[in-house]
Amino acid sequence: MYSPFQSSVENPAIEQETRTAEQLDLPWQVVVHNDPVNLMSYVTMVFQKVFGLSREQAEQHMLEVHQQGRSILWSGMRERAELYVQQLHGYLLLATLERTN
Amino acid sequence: MEIRRQGDCIEISELDPFLAELLRQVPESTDSCGVEAAQQRLFSSPAAASEQEICAEWKVYVEPELRRLFQTATQTVASDLQQLNGSSKPFANCTLRIPAGNADAWLNALNQARLVIAAKYNFDESELCDHYRSPIGSRRDLGLFQVNFYGFLQEFILHELKM
């Protein structure tokens, strides 16, 4: 007779669940790195176009790139982050995709 | 040389033969073939080398797209530059009209050219900021002048796009 409270397996072995960071899809970040050749005004324009930032926000990130060598422009799911990096490379900016610590 | 907005165009007039020649060289200057540093800069890695899957997929799927994008921008610029070949007097000043719709292609091609030249001659930050360096005594000096001249054009186009 079937009982919902009765296990069909007498001694079930519980396996330890392991998942990679990718399976969990931890946030990724889009990082733009400094490049002395790209003009400040050009970088600002690209940030506005790609991320829809206001001029002030875009300038703030541009200055962070210029002064600190890098700025995190966006973080979230990998697929979208990849798309942003692709767009930034299309504008010839030095951009990378990084796992969030 | 004068640059101004004329209706739906950006007009560069009173272009002397030297500057006109530098403009003619924009498409050629975007060519990174044979310059490893320039290739690496134009097609830089999208992630750290440890992210092997991302980097490998990028090479296969994204890089060809980027090549096409850069090539299209360069072809648009080359087409606009045909105007400079029509002068009957070879050493006369000339005028170039860039349709506003081609401004993005120009920004892209000028940036490609600047990056390739800078990589080719390995200019450092202090050299790139030295706008008063003169005179032009070598091919390298000319390269720096080109980078700055193309940067000046980029600034002007960006200024016009904002208006």
Side-chain angles (χ1 to χ4, degrees), chain A residues 80-92:
Chain A
R80 193 153 175 209
E82 278 181 324
L83 196 65
Y84 279 136
V85 172
Q86 188 176 338
Q87 284 179 275
L88 292 166
H89 279 235
Y91 285 104
L92 297 144

Side-chain angles (χ1 to χ4, degrees), chain B residues 30-101:
Chain B
T30 64
D31 185 5
S32 61
C33 288
V35 187
E36 186 60 29
Q39 286 270 344
Q40 280 180 9
R41 176 57 192 85
L42 291 192
F43 304 101
S44 62
S45 185
S50 55
E51 301 288 358
Q52 291 177 357
E53 184 205 335
I54 294 175
C55 295
E57 281 181 1
W58 184 275
K59 280 258 172 229
V60 176
Y61 300 109
V62 181
E63 220 176 90
E65 281 298 316
L66 291 174
R67 281 184 199 279
R68 264 191 289 276
L69 177 77
F70 299 159
Q71 198 178 10
T72 304
T74 304
Q75 283 168 348
T76 302
V77 168
S79 170
D80 287 343
L81 285 168
Q82 290 293 322
Q83 298 165 50
L84 299 181
N85 297 335
S87 174
S88 53
K89 297 176 191 166
F91 296 106
N93 285 356
C94 49
T95 298
L96 175 70
R97 289 180 189 86
I98 300 170

